[in-house]
Amino acid sequence: MSQPDFWSDNMAAAKTSREFDELKKEVELWQRMQEESQALDELAQETGDSEELQSQIEKLEKDFTQLEFTMMLSGEYDANDAVFAIHAGAGGTDAQDWAEMLKRMYLRYFERKGWTAKVIDESRGSEAGIKSVTMEVLGRYAYGYLKAEAGVHRLVRISPFDAEKMRHTSFALVEVIPDFGDLPDIVIDEKDLKIEASTASGHGGQSVNTTYSAIRIVHLPTKITVQCQNERSQKQNLETAMKILKQKLHMRRLEEQEEKRKELRGEFHSAEWGNQIRSYVLHPYKMVKDHRTKHEGDNPQAVLDGDLDGFIEAYLKGEGAVI
């Protein structure tokens, strides 16, 4: 950061500065805990087993438990930023509304973590909710935490879109990809790409619905599709879409390698989209249950307001796969 040409690349410099700030906060927290621990030793010698001492010990233990959990995020990409996407599944308008509810839930969770979320692309539903949304989540350990959320999320409730007030089940798919960096080894042949430009959709504003700035890329060999419309210029959207396409292709390569290893070990099982990882039940009773860890809670509203730490930590402490 002290080099004279540090800010010649604004995006790289901003990322490095953010990483420095996050590391500095983490180191300062460990240093503060060390100082508090030494102060507690002195207090114990002076007062013995007092209420004040017990209160400070409990606070220190709580902070340490959180830091200890962070140390478990030792996967190669756990400390990286993440590309986070939500797709409405089976359930029509209810599923699109559910996808938007999930978007709100995760935005609140990102805020709790002090992370920054930037919407790259969003497709609104025809009546309500969203068909899909893709976000770039910037923050230390973003991928490490969010990889626990990848999979199908199921909602059971009385549908607000049903005149007969019947109970409906809706599904939404969450995708999480780590930021792998530049990926110079991923070479994409232009002949394998179908690139389309269109007008950006949105709630209005300068250049919205007037210029062909939105970009959609289809990688023909794999059928992977990436869309971007958050930037004003077509060039910027194309660069962002190509970056995400590279991330997805690299993720696909890693997943294929892992599946091959499991197959050789006799552990291979085909992935099925329909297997939900978590159910959110609002009627006839209230419950949120993770089907992988059996962790559950009886306050769905708190979870939908972003209180996800219990579910994520239960997964990561259990059999969560590390990429």
Side-chain angles (χ1 to χ4, degrees), residues 12-69:
K15 185 175 182 179
T16 301
S17 297
R18 178 168 53 81
E19 184 180 2
F20 169 75
D21 290 338
E22 291 167 345
L23 287 168
K24 183 180 178 182
K25 288 178 183 177
E26 194 170 321
V27 170
E28 287 175 346
L29 182 55
W30 280 107
Q31 290 174 337
R32 178 178 64 78
M33 289 185 62
Q34 185 178 29
E35 293 170 359
E36 290 180 356
S37 178
Q38 293 171 348
L40 283 177
D41 285 341
E42 296 174 1
L43 182 63
Q45 293 174 6
E46 294 174 1
T47 65
D49 189 14
S50 64
E51 289 186 9
E52 181 186 1
L53 178 65
Q54 288 302 317
S55 175
Q56 292 189 37
I57 288 175
E58 289 174 7
K59 179 181 179 300
L60 193 63
E61 285 179 341
K62 183 178 179 181
D63 290 342
F64 179 78
T65 299
Q66 183 61 43
L67 281 172
E68 185 181 36
F69 175 76

Side-chain angles (χ1 to χ4, degrees), residues 69 105-106 109 112-113 144-150 153-154 277-281 286-320:
F69 175 76
M105 178 182 80
Y106 285 117
Y109 179 69
R112 288 183 181 212
K113 288 294 183 184
Y145 280 93
L146 294 178
K147 66 184 180 184
E149 296 302 286
H153 295 246
R154 170 177 172 260
I277 63 165
R278 191 177 301 147
S279 291
Y280 306 70
V281 182
K286 296 184 182 298
M287 182 184 72
V288 180
K289 181 175 182 178
D290 195 295
H291 302 289
R292 302 162 300 177
T293 64
K294 309 306 178 186
H295 184 82
E296 61 182 67
D298 59 3
N299 189 353
Q301 191 55 56
V303 176
L304 293 172
D305 284 338
D307 187 7
L308 292 168
D309 278 331
F311 291 92
I312 290 176
E313 291 179 13
Y315 173 80
L316 295 176
K317 288 176 179 177
E319 298 180 354

Side-chain angles (χ1 to χ4, degrees), residues 209-305:
N209 295 319
T210 61
T211 62
Y212 283 80
S213 59
I215 290 293
R216 180 175 183 266
I217 300 177
V218 180
H219 186 250
L220 299 175
T222 61
K223 307 302 181 185
I224 293 175
T225 302
V226 178
Q227 298 184 151
C228 183
Q229 63 171 341
N230 69 305
E231 304 293 350
R232 290 181 179 273
S233 76
Q234 185 182 111
K235 181 182 178 182
Q236 289 175 308
N237 283 327
L238 179 60
E239 289 175 352
T240 301
M242 286 296 294
K243 175 185 174 183
I244 295 175
L245 177 59
K246 282 189 173 185
Q247 310 280 348
K248 288 195 172 189
L249 287 172
H250 188 60
M251 188 71 169
R252 183 188 180 97
R253 179 191 294 177
L254 293 176
E255 289 173 345
E256 288 174 349
Q257 291 172 352
E258 179 61 23
E259 287 177 358
K260 186 64 177 177
R261 284 195 292 268
K262 288 182 178 180
E263 188 175 10
L264 291 171
R265 294 196 302 260
E267 303 174 10
F268 177 74
H269 300 281
S270 61
E272 295 182 10
W273 192 91
N275 292 335
Q276 63 267 15
I277 63 165
R278 191 177 301 147
S279 291
Y280 306 70
V281 182
L282 305 184
H283 185 84
Y285 52 88
K286 296 184 182 298
M287 182 184 72
V288 180
K289 181 175 182 178
D290 195 295
H291 302 289
R292 302 162 300 177
T293 64
K294 309 306 178 186
H295 184 82
E296 61 182 67
D298 59 3
N299 189 353
Q301 191 55 56
V303 176
L304 293 172
D305 284 338

Side-chain angles (χ1 to χ4, degrees), residues 113-227:
K113 288 294 183 184
W115 300 337
T116 301
K118 179 181 179 182
V119 175
I120 293 172
D121 181 72
E122 182 174 297
S123 176
R124 303 293 306 175
S126 55
E127 296 181 37
I130 57 174
K131 295 178 182 178
S132 66
V133 62
T134 302
M135 296 178 278
E136 188 176 26
V137 184
L138 309 177
R140 186 158 174 79
Y141 297 113
Y143 176 70
Y145 280 93
L146 294 178
K147 66 184 180 184
E149 296 302 286
V152 177
H153 295 246
R154 170 177 172 260
L155 173 69
V156 180
R157 64 170 176 175
I158 298 294
S159 171
F161 306 102
D162 188 336
E164 298 182 5
K165 302 299 181 184
M166 300 291 289
R167 188 174 65 179
H168 283 239
T169 301
S170 307
F171 297 89
L173 174 67
V174 170
E175 284 185 303
V176 187
I177 300 173
D179 184 346
F180 294 109
D182 294 334
L183 295 175
D185 58 324
I186 299 292
V187 180
I188 301 175
D189 191 334
E190 291 186 5
K191 296 177 182 178
D192 292 336
L193 300 179
K194 180 182 178 183
I195 302 176
E196 300 173 344
S198 63
T199 56
S201 60
H203 298 293
Q206 188 177 2
S207 299
V208 174
N209 295 319
T210 61
T211 62
Y212 283 80
S213 59
I215 290 293
R216 180 175 183 266
I217 300 177
V218 180
H219 186 250
L220 299 175
T222 61
K223 307 302 181 185
I224 293 175
T225 302
V226 178
Q227 298 184 151

